Short mmCIF file of all heavy atoms in Angstrom, two decimals:
data_model
loop_
_atom_site.label_atom_id
_atom_site.label_comp_id
_atom_site.label_asym_id
_atom_site.label_seq_id
_atom_site.Cartn_x
_atom_site.Cartn_y
_atom_site.Cartn_z
N ARG A 3 7.50 3.60 71.59
CA ARG A 3 8.64 2.58 71.29
C ARG A 3 8.68 2.26 69.89
O ARG A 3 9.79 1.94 69.39
CB ARG A 3 8.38 1.30 72.13
CG ARG A 3 7.22 0.49 71.69
CD ARG A 3 6.99 -0.67 72.67
NE ARG A 3 5.60 -1.20 72.35
CZ ARG A 3 5.39 -2.48 72.23
NH1 ARG A 3 6.31 -3.29 72.36
NH2 ARG A 3 4.17 -2.88 71.90
N PHE A 4 7.60 2.33 69.14
CA PHE A 4 7.68 2.08 67.63
C PHE A 4 8.26 3.31 66.95
O PHE A 4 9.06 3.21 66.12
CB PHE A 4 6.29 1.78 67.06
CG PHE A 4 5.60 0.60 67.64
CD1 PHE A 4 4.31 0.58 67.98
CD2 PHE A 4 6.34 -0.59 67.88
CE1 PHE A 4 3.70 -0.54 68.48
CE2 PHE A 4 5.74 -1.68 68.39
CZ PHE A 4 4.33 -1.73 68.72
N LEU A 5 7.73 4.55 67.36
CA LEU A 5 8.11 5.71 66.68
C LEU A 5 9.61 6.03 66.81
O LEU A 5 10.28 6.46 65.81
CB LEU A 5 7.46 6.90 67.39
CG LEU A 5 7.74 8.29 66.77
CD1 LEU A 5 7.24 8.47 65.38
CD2 LEU A 5 6.98 9.40 67.63
N TYR A 6 10.25 5.74 67.93
CA TYR A 6 11.75 5.95 68.12
C TYR A 6 12.61 4.81 67.88
O TYR A 6 13.80 4.84 68.02
CB TYR A 6 11.89 6.49 69.52
CG TYR A 6 11.32 7.81 69.75
CD1 TYR A 6 10.15 8.01 70.63
CD2 TYR A 6 11.74 8.91 69.04
CE1 TYR A 6 9.55 9.32 70.82
CE2 TYR A 6 11.16 10.17 69.22
CZ TYR A 6 10.08 10.23 70.14
OH TYR A 6 9.47 11.52 70.31
N ASN A 7 12.04 3.79 67.31
CA ASN A 7 12.90 2.58 67.05
C ASN A 7 13.66 2.89 65.69
O ASN A 7 12.99 3.10 64.66
CB ASN A 7 12.10 1.32 66.78
CG ASN A 7 12.84 0.01 66.77
OD1 ASN A 7 13.69 -0.02 65.95
ND2 ASN A 7 12.56 -0.91 67.58
N PRO A 8 14.95 2.81 65.72
CA PRO A 8 15.70 3.20 64.51
C PRO A 8 15.84 2.21 63.36
O PRO A 8 16.45 2.39 62.33
CB PRO A 8 17.08 3.51 65.10
CG PRO A 8 17.24 2.53 66.13
CD PRO A 8 15.79 2.56 66.80
N VAL A 9 15.25 0.98 63.59
CA VAL A 9 15.39 -0.14 62.56
C VAL A 9 14.66 0.37 61.27
O VAL A 9 13.43 0.80 61.24
CB VAL A 9 14.69 -1.43 63.10
CG1 VAL A 9 14.72 -2.47 61.91
CG2 VAL A 9 15.52 -1.91 64.27
N GLY A 10 15.36 0.30 60.12
CA GLY A 10 14.79 0.65 58.85
C GLY A 10 14.79 2.18 58.68
O GLY A 10 14.09 2.66 57.73
N ILE A 11 15.45 2.92 59.42
CA ILE A 11 15.57 4.40 59.38
C ILE A 11 16.92 4.79 58.90
O ILE A 11 17.93 4.30 59.56
CB ILE A 11 15.23 5.08 60.71
CG1 ILE A 11 13.75 4.69 61.16
CG2 ILE A 11 15.28 6.61 60.52
CD1 ILE A 11 12.61 5.09 60.29
N THR A 12 17.11 5.61 57.91
CA THR A 12 18.38 6.03 57.59
C THR A 12 18.60 7.58 57.79
O THR A 12 17.59 8.18 57.95
CB THR A 12 18.64 5.85 56.00
OG1 THR A 12 17.73 6.59 55.27
CG2 THR A 12 18.56 4.38 55.56
N LEU A 13 19.76 7.96 57.80
CA LEU A 13 20.00 9.49 58.04
C LEU A 13 20.75 10.02 56.82
O LEU A 13 21.73 9.59 56.43
CB LEU A 13 21.03 9.62 59.31
CG LEU A 13 21.19 11.04 59.78
CD1 LEU A 13 19.85 11.78 60.15
CD2 LEU A 13 22.20 11.06 60.96
N GLU A 14 20.07 10.92 56.20
CA GLU A 14 20.61 11.57 54.95
C GLU A 14 20.48 13.05 55.10
O GLU A 14 19.61 13.59 55.33
CB GLU A 14 19.70 11.16 53.72
CG GLU A 14 19.73 9.68 53.51
CD GLU A 14 18.76 9.24 52.31
OE1 GLU A 14 18.61 10.09 51.50
OE2 GLU A 14 18.40 8.11 52.23
N ASN A 15 21.79 13.62 55.16
CA ASN A 15 21.89 15.07 55.22
C ASN A 15 21.14 15.65 56.40
O ASN A 15 20.40 16.63 56.37
CB ASN A 15 21.40 15.81 54.00
CG ASN A 15 22.11 15.38 52.76
OD1 ASN A 15 23.40 15.29 52.80
ND2 ASN A 15 21.43 15.21 51.63
N GLY A 16 21.27 14.97 57.52
CA GLY A 16 20.62 15.36 58.80
C GLY A 16 19.17 15.04 58.97
O GLY A 16 18.51 15.50 59.85
N VAL A 17 18.59 14.34 57.89
CA VAL A 17 17.18 14.09 57.95
C VAL A 17 16.92 12.56 58.04
O VAL A 17 17.62 11.80 57.24
CB VAL A 17 16.53 14.65 56.63
CG1 VAL A 17 15.00 14.26 56.58
CG2 VAL A 17 16.69 16.06 56.55
N GLN A 18 16.09 12.16 58.94
CA GLN A 18 15.70 10.72 59.13
C GLN A 18 14.74 10.38 58.13
O GLN A 18 13.73 11.03 58.03
CB GLN A 18 15.32 10.45 60.54
CG GLN A 18 16.47 10.54 61.56
CD GLN A 18 15.97 10.19 62.90
OE1 GLN A 18 14.77 10.11 63.29
NE2 GLN A 18 17.00 9.94 63.77
N LYS A 19 15.01 9.21 57.40
CA LYS A 19 13.98 8.76 56.41
C LYS A 19 13.91 7.25 56.62
O LYS A 19 14.78 6.52 56.88
CB LYS A 19 14.57 8.96 54.97
CG LYS A 19 14.68 10.37 54.55
CD LYS A 19 15.18 10.45 53.18
CE LYS A 19 15.26 11.94 52.65
NZ LYS A 19 15.66 11.98 51.31
N ALA A 20 12.60 6.87 56.33
CA ALA A 20 12.28 5.33 56.42
C ALA A 20 12.64 4.64 55.23
O ALA A 20 12.44 5.29 54.02
CB ALA A 20 10.80 5.16 56.75
N THR A 21 13.09 3.46 55.26
CA THR A 21 13.39 2.77 54.01
C THR A 21 11.96 2.34 53.47
O THR A 21 10.92 2.37 54.24
CB THR A 21 14.13 1.40 54.34
OG1 THR A 21 13.40 0.64 55.29
CG2 THR A 21 15.56 1.71 54.79
N LYS A 22 11.92 1.83 52.24
CA LYS A 22 10.57 1.51 51.69
C LYS A 22 9.97 0.35 52.58
O LYS A 22 8.85 0.32 52.92
CB LYS A 22 10.76 0.93 50.23
CG LYS A 22 9.42 0.53 49.67
CD LYS A 22 9.67 0.48 48.12
CE LYS A 22 9.79 -0.88 47.64
NZ LYS A 22 9.75 -0.92 46.10
N GLU A 23 10.82 -0.57 53.07
CA GLU A 23 10.35 -1.70 53.88
C GLU A 23 9.82 -1.26 55.12
O GLU A 23 8.79 -1.69 55.70
CB GLU A 23 11.41 -2.75 53.97
CG GLU A 23 11.72 -3.48 52.66
CD GLU A 23 12.65 -2.80 51.85
OE1 GLU A 23 13.22 -1.76 52.21
OE2 GLU A 23 12.80 -3.15 50.58
N ARG A 24 10.46 -0.32 55.81
CA ARG A 24 10.04 0.29 57.16
C ARG A 24 8.72 1.04 56.90
O ARG A 24 7.81 0.85 57.74
CB ARG A 24 11.07 1.27 57.70
CG ARG A 24 10.69 1.96 58.91
CD ARG A 24 10.33 1.05 60.11
NE ARG A 24 9.66 1.81 61.26
CZ ARG A 24 10.24 2.12 62.35
NH1 ARG A 24 11.52 1.63 62.56
NH2 ARG A 24 9.67 2.71 63.21
N ALA A 25 8.58 1.66 55.82
CA ALA A 25 7.30 2.50 55.52
C ALA A 25 6.23 1.48 55.36
O ALA A 25 5.13 1.65 55.96
CB ALA A 25 7.47 3.28 54.22
N VAL A 26 6.41 0.30 54.71
CA VAL A 26 5.40 -0.73 54.53
C VAL A 26 5.10 -1.33 55.90
O VAL A 26 3.93 -1.51 56.19
CB VAL A 26 5.86 -1.82 53.52
CG1 VAL A 26 4.93 -3.03 53.59
CG2 VAL A 26 6.01 -1.17 52.15
N ALA A 27 6.05 -1.60 56.73
CA ALA A 27 5.86 -2.17 58.04
C ALA A 27 4.97 -1.17 58.87
O ALA A 27 4.01 -1.62 59.59
CB ALA A 27 7.10 -2.51 58.66
N ASP A 28 5.33 0.08 58.76
CA ASP A 28 4.57 1.05 59.59
C ASP A 28 3.12 1.12 59.13
O ASP A 28 2.16 1.19 59.87
CB ASP A 28 5.31 2.53 59.40
CG ASP A 28 6.51 2.66 60.15
OD1 ASP A 28 6.88 1.73 60.94
OD2 ASP A 28 7.22 3.62 59.84
N MET A 29 2.91 1.22 57.83
CA MET A 29 1.60 1.33 57.24
C MET A 29 0.74 0.03 57.65
O MET A 29 -0.44 0.17 58.02
CB MET A 29 1.67 1.46 55.71
CG MET A 29 0.24 1.53 55.04
SD MET A 29 -0.76 2.86 55.74
CE MET A 29 0.04 4.26 54.95
N LEU A 30 1.41 -1.18 57.60
CA LEU A 30 0.57 -2.29 58.01
C LEU A 30 0.22 -2.33 59.49
O LEU A 30 -0.73 -2.82 59.84
CB LEU A 30 1.34 -3.61 57.59
CG LEU A 30 1.48 -3.85 56.07
CD1 LEU A 30 2.45 -5.11 55.77
CD2 LEU A 30 0.00 -4.17 55.59
N TYR A 31 1.09 -1.66 60.23
CA TYR A 31 0.80 -1.55 61.65
C TYR A 31 -0.42 -0.74 61.88
O TYR A 31 -1.43 -1.07 62.58
CB TYR A 31 1.94 -1.00 62.48
CG TYR A 31 1.64 -0.81 63.91
CD1 TYR A 31 1.42 -1.84 64.84
CD2 TYR A 31 1.43 0.52 64.35
CE1 TYR A 31 1.12 -1.68 66.09
CE2 TYR A 31 1.13 0.75 65.71
CZ TYR A 31 1.02 -0.29 66.59
OH TYR A 31 0.58 0.00 67.90
N PHE A 32 -0.54 0.39 61.17
CA PHE A 32 -1.56 1.39 61.46
C PHE A 32 -2.72 1.11 60.61
O PHE A 32 -3.97 1.46 60.93
CB PHE A 32 -1.11 2.80 61.05
CG PHE A 32 -0.15 3.40 62.08
CD1 PHE A 32 1.26 3.45 61.81
CD2 PHE A 32 -0.58 3.68 63.30
CE1 PHE A 32 2.15 3.95 62.73
CE2 PHE A 32 0.35 4.30 64.30
CZ PHE A 32 1.68 4.30 63.99
N ASN A 33 -2.66 0.33 59.52
CA ASN A 33 -3.78 0.07 58.61
C ASN A 33 -3.49 -1.26 57.88
O ASN A 33 -3.05 -1.35 56.84
CB ASN A 33 -3.98 1.04 57.58
CG ASN A 33 -5.23 0.82 56.68
OD1 ASN A 33 -5.95 -0.27 56.95
ND2 ASN A 33 -5.57 1.81 55.81
N PRO A 34 -3.76 -2.42 58.63
CA PRO A 34 -3.44 -3.72 58.04
C PRO A 34 -4.14 -4.14 56.77
O PRO A 34 -3.76 -5.06 56.09
CB PRO A 34 -3.90 -4.72 59.12
CG PRO A 34 -4.15 -3.94 60.30
CD PRO A 34 -4.42 -2.57 59.91
N LYS A 35 -5.18 -3.42 56.37
CA LYS A 35 -6.00 -3.70 55.16
C LYS A 35 -5.54 -2.74 53.97
O LYS A 35 -6.08 -2.84 52.97
CB LYS A 35 -7.42 -3.56 55.37
CG LYS A 35 -7.92 -4.52 56.34
CD LYS A 35 -9.41 -4.49 56.56
CE LYS A 35 -9.87 -5.52 57.50
NZ LYS A 35 -11.39 -5.48 57.68
N PHE A 36 -4.42 -1.96 54.19
CA PHE A 36 -3.99 -1.05 53.15
C PHE A 36 -3.51 -1.90 51.88
O PHE A 36 -2.93 -2.89 52.00
CB PHE A 36 -2.80 -0.28 53.69
CG PHE A 36 -2.37 0.85 52.81
CD1 PHE A 36 -3.00 2.06 52.88
CD2 PHE A 36 -1.32 0.76 51.93
CE1 PHE A 36 -2.70 3.13 52.04
CE2 PHE A 36 -0.98 1.79 51.05
CZ PHE A 36 -1.71 3.02 51.14
N HIS A 37 -3.88 -1.30 50.80
CA HIS A 37 -3.50 -1.96 49.49
C HIS A 37 -2.19 -1.24 48.95
O HIS A 37 -2.17 -0.16 48.87
CB HIS A 37 -4.68 -1.72 48.47
CG HIS A 37 -4.37 -2.27 47.07
ND1 HIS A 37 -4.29 -3.54 46.83
CD2 HIS A 37 -3.96 -1.62 45.95
CE1 HIS A 37 -3.93 -3.74 45.51
NE2 HIS A 37 -3.72 -2.54 45.02
N PHE A 38 -1.31 -2.15 48.48
CA PHE A 38 -0.01 -1.71 48.01
C PHE A 38 0.05 -2.00 46.49
O PHE A 38 -0.36 -3.04 46.08
CB PHE A 38 1.13 -2.41 48.66
CG PHE A 38 1.20 -2.10 50.16
CD1 PHE A 38 0.69 -2.95 51.01
CD2 PHE A 38 1.74 -0.93 50.64
CE1 PHE A 38 0.74 -2.71 52.43
CE2 PHE A 38 1.81 -0.64 52.08
CZ PHE A 38 1.24 -1.55 52.88
N ASP A 39 0.63 -1.09 45.76
CA ASP A 39 1.04 -1.33 44.33
C ASP A 39 2.54 -1.39 44.20
O ASP A 39 3.18 -0.56 44.77
CB ASP A 39 0.47 -0.26 43.39
CG ASP A 39 -1.03 -0.21 43.44
OD1 ASP A 39 -1.67 -1.28 43.46
OD2 ASP A 39 -1.64 0.96 43.30
N GLY A 40 3.03 -2.24 43.33
CA GLY A 40 4.48 -2.27 43.24
C GLY A 40 5.10 -3.48 43.81
O GLY A 40 4.47 -4.38 44.33
N SER A 41 6.41 -3.56 43.86
CA SER A 41 7.25 -4.70 44.43
C SER A 41 7.60 -4.41 45.86
O SER A 41 7.83 -3.20 46.21
CB SER A 41 8.43 -5.01 43.57
OG SER A 41 9.25 -3.96 43.68
N VAL A 42 7.65 -5.49 46.64
CA VAL A 42 8.02 -5.48 48.00
C VAL A 42 8.84 -6.60 48.41
O VAL A 42 8.62 -7.66 47.88
CB VAL A 42 6.76 -5.40 48.91
CG1 VAL A 42 6.96 -6.31 50.03
CG2 VAL A 42 6.35 -4.06 49.33
N ASP A 43 9.88 -6.36 49.27
CA ASP A 43 10.59 -7.36 49.77
C ASP A 43 10.01 -7.84 51.10
O ASP A 43 10.35 -7.24 52.16
CB ASP A 43 12.19 -6.95 50.01
CG ASP A 43 13.04 -7.94 50.60
OD1 ASP A 43 12.56 -9.04 50.97
OD2 ASP A 43 14.32 -7.67 50.63
N TRP A 44 9.09 -8.76 51.10
CA TRP A 44 8.29 -9.11 52.20
C TRP A 44 9.17 -9.72 53.31
O TRP A 44 8.84 -9.54 54.54
CB TRP A 44 7.12 -10.04 51.76
CG TRP A 44 6.02 -9.41 51.02
CD1 TRP A 44 5.85 -9.53 49.65
CD2 TRP A 44 5.22 -8.37 51.51
NE1 TRP A 44 4.76 -8.66 49.34
CE2 TRP A 44 4.39 -7.93 50.48
CE3 TRP A 44 5.05 -7.77 52.75
CZ2 TRP A 44 3.45 -6.98 50.62
CZ3 TRP A 44 4.06 -6.82 52.96
CH2 TRP A 44 3.32 -6.38 51.83
#
Side-chain angles (χ1 to χ4, degrees):
R3 68 186 168 131
F4 300 139
L5 179 63
Y6 294 112
N7 190 309
V9 174
I11 304 296
T12 61
L13 186 61
E14 297 177 22
N15 299 320
V17 177
Q18 293 183 338
K19 295 183 177 184
T21 62
K22 184 164 103 173
E23 292 78 13
R24 172 63 189 254
V26 169
D28 290 348
M29 181 55 74
L30 288 173
Y31 173 73
F32 290 107
N33 184 359
K35 295 183 180 182
F36 191 83
H37 174 76
F38 299 97
D39 291 327
S41 65
V42 136
D43 180 350
W44 289 110

